[in-house]
């Protein structure tokens, strides 16, 4: 019997961000392993015209929860959706709902955050710092609370190369930053943002670092732990391989490659992409919640959920596996055949960006105009290149994260717990995982039918033939111009012709 699974039975659990990527997987795992839990409170607000019940119904009827529905058909009865808006005082929660949360909650998993790199600093601070501050205040009023687990990011201190399991001093005091965001004009905030975030790459990373400081300073006597995952990607094993519902991380780049929009990756052959499967993160969060509640460590522990130290995923091998998978199971309606070129030379980088990305996109949009259709490829291309530029910072550098607490946690778990709540990335086969990742994007995100693979392969062959013809024409034109201008080229050409009696 799993001690961790048994712990969560008969517990009332509050999950923020339950409609997000990690939150959904976390909730699914709880229902599947601890079906006798009392209730899961989730903070939700209406979205896209859907009521709270409709949003919950949509989540529970997704493919992710298919195994849970088999085990526990009435799983919806265990979910208590509470209207909340993290940008409002008391989250906009009604008095009755707040009283229930304060009196009943045993564990809090704080997963809610804005993860967009380009968000204005004011918005990022509101969601990732102020909301954390308010939730801590709520938690301090919960007499039955046993553990508070805060989800951060392994890159919160990416200005350092070696990152220990500690909260580092943050540039600027959180309270002063929060106050400044309240009274400063948006234009002024935008102007001073680069100076405030300093050597951190974006507002998301900066706000998550501030959030950790708030947790440390205002956690009081709560039993708190922080989990820091790296680049979260599709499921590894649970509930099935390859599930994903967003394009965060390398997902958008893989799709762009499969659709023929991305033709170039500028990385070194030994560059490490620190991916971590989402089910691994969920398992670590649940194990950390159990350990924090049962063993009550004297100090707040930080757990790094990363792969680079124990089982690195090299970018070049990853890209080659992506290409191999796309050859076997290509994406539908590709713009061009997938083709990846590796280089670290700046001049070559700019040249290939122009030749392999923008020029074909411009030509294709011109063709669309001629045929009376709306041009869209240049716009998609710019979006893809923008996505790559955001991710490039995280795949062009290398960090070392201490994993002492994560290893300690694993050692405290029984063999059964290590099996059920597995977060040991040393067991992960990257080639198989990347293949499942690509297939997951095709099936779960793009909603492409696997029955359409033969047609997609035929389309890919046509694109390959067009590519060969195009390259041949370009070569002949270049060779003809070279012959016209170079005596040496003409001599080589005459020599070749003489060999074949042409």
């Amino acid at each position: 019997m799993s001690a961790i699974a048994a712990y969560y039975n008969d517990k009332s659990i509050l999950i923020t961000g339950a409609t997000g990527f990690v939150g959904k997987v976390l909730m699914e795992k709880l229902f599947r392993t601890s079906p006798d839990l009392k209730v899961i409170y989730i903070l939700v607000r209406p979205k896209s015209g859907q009521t709270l019940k409709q949003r919950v119904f949509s989540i529970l009827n997704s493919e992710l929860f298919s195994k849970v529905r088999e085990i526990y058909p009435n799983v919806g009865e265990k979910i208590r959706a509470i209207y909340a808006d993290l940008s409002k005082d008391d989250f906009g929660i009604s008095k009755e709902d707040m009283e229930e949360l304060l009196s009943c909650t045993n564990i809090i998993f704080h997963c809610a955050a804005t993860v967009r790199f380009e968000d204005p600093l004011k918005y990022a601070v509101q969601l990732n710092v102020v909301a954390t501050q308010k939730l801590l205040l709520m938690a301090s009023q919960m007499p039955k609370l046993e553990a508070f687990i805060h989800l951060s990011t392994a890159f919160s201190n990416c200005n350092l190369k070696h990152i220990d399991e500690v909260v580092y001093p943050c540039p600027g005091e959180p309270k002063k930053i929060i106050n400044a965001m309240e009274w400063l004009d948006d234009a002024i905030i935008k102007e001073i943002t680069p100076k405030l975030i300093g050597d951190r790459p974006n507002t998301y990373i900066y706000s998550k670092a501030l959030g950790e400081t708030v947790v440390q300073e205002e956690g009081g006597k709560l039993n708190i732990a922080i989990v820091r995952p790296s680049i979260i990607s599709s499921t590894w094993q649970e509930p099935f391989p390859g599930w994903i519902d967003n394009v965060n991380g390398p997902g958008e780049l893989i799709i762009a490659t499969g659709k023929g929009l991305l033709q170039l990756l500028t990385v070194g052959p030994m560059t490490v992409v620190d991916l971590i499967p989402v089910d691994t993160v969920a398992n670590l969060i649940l194990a950390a919640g159990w350990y924090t509640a049962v063993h009550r460590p004297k100090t707040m522990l930080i757990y790094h959920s990363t792969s680079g130290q124990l089982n690195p995923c090299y970018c070049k091998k990853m890209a080659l596996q992506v290409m191999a998978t796309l050859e076997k199971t290509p994406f539908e309606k590709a713009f061009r055949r997938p083709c990846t070129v590796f280089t670290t030379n700046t001049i070559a980088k700019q040249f290939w960006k122009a030749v392999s990305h923008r020029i074909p996109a411009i030509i294709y949009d011109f063709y669309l105009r001629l045929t009376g259709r709306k041009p869209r490829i240049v716009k998609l291309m710019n979006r893809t290149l923008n996505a790559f530029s955001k991710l490039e910072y995280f795949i062009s550098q290398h960090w070392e994260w201490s994993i002492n607490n994560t290893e300690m946690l694993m050692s405290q778990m029984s063999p059964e717990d290590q099996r059920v709540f597995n977060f040991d990335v040393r067991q992960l086969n990257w080639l198989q995982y990347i293949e499942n990742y690509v297939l997951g994007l095709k099936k779960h995100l793009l909603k492409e039918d696997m029955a359409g693979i033969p047609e997609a392969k035929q389309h890919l062959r046509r694109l390959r033939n067009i590519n060969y013809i195009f390259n041949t024409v370009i070569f002949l034109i270049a060779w003809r111009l070279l012959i016209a201008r170079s005596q040496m080229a003409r001599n080589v050409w005459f020599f070749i012709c003489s060999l074949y009696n042409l």
Side-chain angles (χ1 to χ4, degrees):
M1 176 67 180
S2 165
I4 296 176
Y7 167 75
Y8 287 108
N9 282 326
D10 202 36
K11 292 291 191 294
S12 298
I13 302 164
L14 169 60
I15 301 178
T16 69
T19 58
F21 186 39
V22 176
K24 290 176 187 174
V25 175
L26 184 66
M27 189 162 55
E28 191 276 340
K29 183 61 181 278
L30 274 168
F31 280 130
R32 189 157 39 84
T33 56
S34 304
D36 293 327
L37 60 83
K38 186 176 293 183
V39 64
I40 292 182
Y41 296 108
I42 63 173
L43 304 184
V44 191
R45 63 176 178 177
K47 186 178 181 182
S48 304
Q50 289 185 317
T51 64
L52 300 190
K53 287 185 178 180
Q54 288 172 332
R55 292 196 70 184
V56 172
F57 179 83
S58 177
I59 292 170
L60 294 181
N61 281 274
S62 66
E63 192 172 4
L64 176 67
F65 283 82
S66 57
K67 289 188 176 181
V68 169
R69 291 195 301 270
E70 292 176 6
I71 301 170
Y72 190 51
N74 298 321
V75 63
E77 297 175 358
K78 294 283 182 109
I79 292 183
R80 174 87 157 81
I82 293 176
Y83 170 82
D85 186 338
L86 298 189
S87 64
K88 295 181 178 180
D89 292 338
D90 290 333
F91 299 149
I93 299 173
S94 69
K95 182 179 179 181
E96 295 77 13
D97 289 340
M98 182 64 79
E99 288 177 354
E100 182 177 347
L101 284 174
L102 295 181
S103 61
C104 298
T105 303
N106 301 121
I107 303 107
I108 294 177
F109 295 115
H110 182 34
C111 304
T114 174
V115 298
R116 292 187 295 268
F117 293 169
E118 69 277 10
D119 273 339
L121 181 59
K122 185 175 183 176
Y123 184 76
V125 168
Q126 181 68 46
L127 269 292
N128 295 344
V129 185
V130 178
T132 300
Q133 189 181 51
K134 292 176 181 177
L135 190 62
L136 287 167
L137 180 60
M138 280 178 55
S140 67
Q141 302 171 60
M142 296 176 174
K144 296 181 180 179
L145 189 69
E146 299 174 19
F148 183 112
I149 309 302
H150 175 71
L151 184 66
S152 185
T153 171
F155 298 102
S156 57
N157 302 288
C158 59
N159 53 315
L160 306 174
K161 289 302 178 185
H162 180 85
I163 302 168
D164 287 318
E165 297 150 311
V166 299
V167 175
Y168 288 91
C170 194
E173 297 179 24
K175 289 182 180 179
K176 290 182 178 180
I177 298 296
I178 292 169
N179 291 335
M181 295 300 107
E182 291 177 352
W183 64 267
L184 281 178
D185 182 77
D186 290 350
I188 296 176
I189 295 175
K190 184 177 180 180
E191 186 176 341
I192 65 174
T193 293
K195 187 172 182 179
L196 286 175
I197 67 176
D199 50 5
R200 287 175 171 83
N202 52 59
T203 57
Y204 165 69
I205 298 297
Y206 177 70
S207 62
K208 293 300 283 185
L210 285 175
E212 287 189 2
T213 303
V214 165
V215 170
Q216 184 183 55
E217 293 179 351
E218 303 187 27
K221 297 181 180 179
L222 298 173
N223 293 318
I224 300 179
I226 295 176
V227 175
R228 289 176 177 163
S230 51
I231 303 173
I232 304 177
S233 48
S234 69
T235 55
W236 167 23
Q237 296 173 317
E238 302 178 88
F240 44 82
W243 183 83
I244 190 166
D245 71 346
N246 65 78
V247 294
N248 294 335
E252 188 167 3
L253 303 184
I254 293 173
I255 292 174
T257 301
K259 294 294 187 180
L261 290 168
L262 186 64
Q263 298 277 295
L264 171 72
L265 286 177
T266 53
V267 296
M270 299 306 290
T271 301
V272 173
V273 186
D274 207 295
L275 297 180
I276 194 74
V278 63
D279 50 333
T280 301
V281 178
N283 286 338
L284 177 56
I285 290 172
L286 292 173
W290 161 78
Y291 186 81
T292 303
V294 173
H295 293 271
R296 295 178 172 268
K298 294 181 180 179
T299 59
M300 181 180 72
L301 296 181
I302 296 174
Y303 302 94
H304 285 142
S305 183
T306 59
S307 60
Q309 297 294 103
L310 298 174
N311 186 7
C313 174
Y314 294 104
C315 191
K316 185 172 182 178
K317 288 184 178 180
M318 173 185 171
L320 292 174
Q321 183 62 21
V322 168
M323 301 306 298
T325 306
L326 289 172
E327 287 289 334
K328 292 188 295 183
T329 53
F331 291 164
E332 297 173 4
K333 299 178 182 178
F335 160 56
R336 285 181 295 170
R337 62 181 290 266
C339 177
T340 304
V341 180
F342 290 89
T343 177
T344 54
N345 182 276
T346 303
I347 297 175
K349 174 180 175 180
Q350 299 304 322
F351 173 76
W352 278 107
K353 268 190 178 180
V355 173
S356 65
H357 290 128
R358 300 191 185 280
I359 293 177
I362 292 170
I363 294 173
Y364 197 84
D365 269 357
F366 179 70
Y367 165 75
L368 290 176
R369 284 192 180 94
L370 289 178
T371 55
R373 287 176 287 178
K374 184 178 179 181
R376 67 185 188 279
I377 303 301
V378 170
K379 184 177 180 180
L380 289 172
M381 183 68 67
N382 290 335
R383 175 179 159 183
T384 298
L385 293 176
N386 184 47
F388 179 59
S389 67
K390 292 174 187 175
L391 189 63
E392 192 171 19
Y393 176 89
F394 300 98
I395 64 175
S396 62
Q397 302 184 63
H398 179 68
W399 290 270
E400 292 182 357
W401 288 277
S402 296
I403 52 173
N404 296 330
N405 289 340
T406 307
E407 294 282 88
M408 177 278 297
L409 177 59
M410 194 180 300
S411 70
Q412 294 295 311
M413 295 163 59
S414 68
E416 178 65 6
D417 280 329
Q418 290 180 11
R419 183 188 67 81
V420 177
F421 296 90
N422 182 21
F423 53 85
D424 186 359
V425 294
R426 286 169 292 202
Q427 301 173 22
L428 196 157
N429 181 323
W430 282 115
L431 294 182
Q432 183 61 58
Y433 175 78
I434 296 301
E435 181 175 345
N436 289 333
Y437 188 4
V438 176
L439 294 177
L441 288 167
K442 178 180 174 66
K443 182 179 179 181
H444 306 297
L445 194 64
L446 298 179
K447 306 297 183 184
E448 293 184 0
D449 191 348
M450 293 299 175
I453 289 177
E455 183 180 346
K457 284 186 175 181
Q458 187 177 5
H459 178 64
L460 188 65
R461 282 193 293 270
R462 287 196 298 266
L463 291 176
R464 185 181 290 112
N465 292 336
I466 291 171
N467 185 65
Y468 289 153
I469 293 170
F470 179 80
N471 288 341
T472 301
V473 170
I474 293 296
F475 173 78
L476 291 176
I477 292 173
W479 181 245
R480 181 67 185 85
L481 291 174
L482 185 63
I483 288 176
R485 293 175 176 270
S486 170
Q487 181 61 47
M488 181 178 294
R490 286 196 292 272
N491 292 339
V492 171
W493 176 247
F494 293 146
F495 175 73
I496 293 173
C497 290
S498 66
L499 288 177
Y500 293 94
N501 296 318
L502 296 177

